[in-house]
Amino acid sequence: MKKFTPTVRLTAVATAIGLALAGCSTGSDDAQGTSGDGTPGETASHEGGGSDHEDMSNSDSDHEPGGHEGHAADGGAPPEGIAKAGDPEFAVGDTVVLSADHMPGMKGAEATVSGAFDTTTYSISYTPTDGGDPVKDHRWVVHEELEDPGSAPLKKGAKATVNADHMPGMKGAEATIDSATDETVYMVDITTDEMEMTNHKWVVESEMKSAK
């Protein structure tokens, strides 16, 4: 058997140790490479999250407050069949102050009465026919603005089709009656910094007082 000298043995051991250290170094570099590859992945994930936040922000910015958006500036003539009030508290041409807050700028505004009527007036909830958001407790529509409603008053929870077109998507919508009142109901003309409306429909008597 061939015998190695001490010098040869030491050289062989040194070589083996060197190879082992080289292997460790390569493993460490690979680990760092994996970490480096992971870091861009994490960044991409955050960027994706940022995109989601932007989408949410855009969605919020596209949201329009609902309720009375798009309300007609000219309400037009009263519906057929509605009876003029026999002895209204406020006559056509009277100036009144509104306490109703159906839309921004209405509450506290002065208005001129353009019509007074005796009928049943309803608050309704409905989903617009144009795909708009559901409308809750819309005030007001009168009995004569409902399609074949039968005898007044309709009970709370009753269903009816709306013929009024005060707002986009209202005409033809199926509504649920939320409440009813037999107060005298008025059309009014309103001019403020926020709005200018003619024959606005509707304001009931308890939502107005004399401007004098």
Side-chain angles (χ1 to χ4, degrees):
M1 179 180 293
K2 186 176 179 179
K3 293 184 180 180
F4 293 100
T5 64
T7 302
V8 173
R9 286 198 190 106
L10 288 174
T11 302
V13 171
T15 301
I17 292 173
L19 290 173
L21 290 174
C24 291
S25 175
T26 302
S28 175
D29 288 346
D30 289 345
Q32 289 178 1
T34 301
S35 175
D37 291 343
T39 302
E42 291 174 359
T43 303
S45 174
H46 287 303
E47 287 174 353
S51 176
D52 290 342
H53 287 304
E54 288 173 5
D55 289 344
M56 291 171 64
S57 176
N58 289 340
S59 175
D60 289 342
S61 66
D62 290 340
H63 177 70
E64 294 288 343
H68 285 78
E69 287 295 317
H71 202 294
D74 186 349
E80 292 184 9
I82 194 169
K84 290 185 177 181
D87 186 24
E89 179 72 19
F90 306 103
V92 172
D94 283 355
T95 302
V96 296
V97 176
L98 305 177
S99 60
D101 57 355
H102 303 169
M103 62 187 67
M106 175 176 277
K107 188 171 184 178
E110 284 195 354
T112 302
V113 174
S114 57
F117 305 91
D118 286 332
T119 185
T120 300
T121 306
Y122 301 100
S123 167
I124 61 171
S125 294
Y126 67 97
T127 298
T129 59
D130 63 358
D133 292 334
V135 176
K136 303 294 184 183
D137 193 28
H138 173 82
R139 303 184 183 188
W140 305 89
V141 298
V142 296
H143 195 76
E144 291 76 13
E145 292 177 316
L146 303 178
E147 184 176 318
D148 300 324
S151 299
L154 298 181
K155 294 182 178 179
K156 181 178 180 179
K159 305 292 184 182
T161 300
V162 183
N163 281 332
D165 58 356
H166 303 170
M167 298 165 59
M170 174 179 275
K171 189 176 178 68
E174 184 180 85
T176 301
I177 303 299
D178 293 325
S179 63
T181 177
D182 60 2
E183 295 178 65
T184 301
V185 66
Y186 297 86
M187 296 191 310
V188 295
D189 297 341
I190 311 169
T191 301
T192 68
D193 292 339
E194 291 84 3
M195 70 179 80
E196 184 171 346
M197 308 189 77
T198 302
N199 288 344
H200 171 73
K201 301 182 178 74
W202 301 92
V203 182
V204 296
E205 196 162 277
S206 60
E207 295 177 319
M208 51 203 297
K209 65 181 181 180
S210 176
K212 295 179 181 179

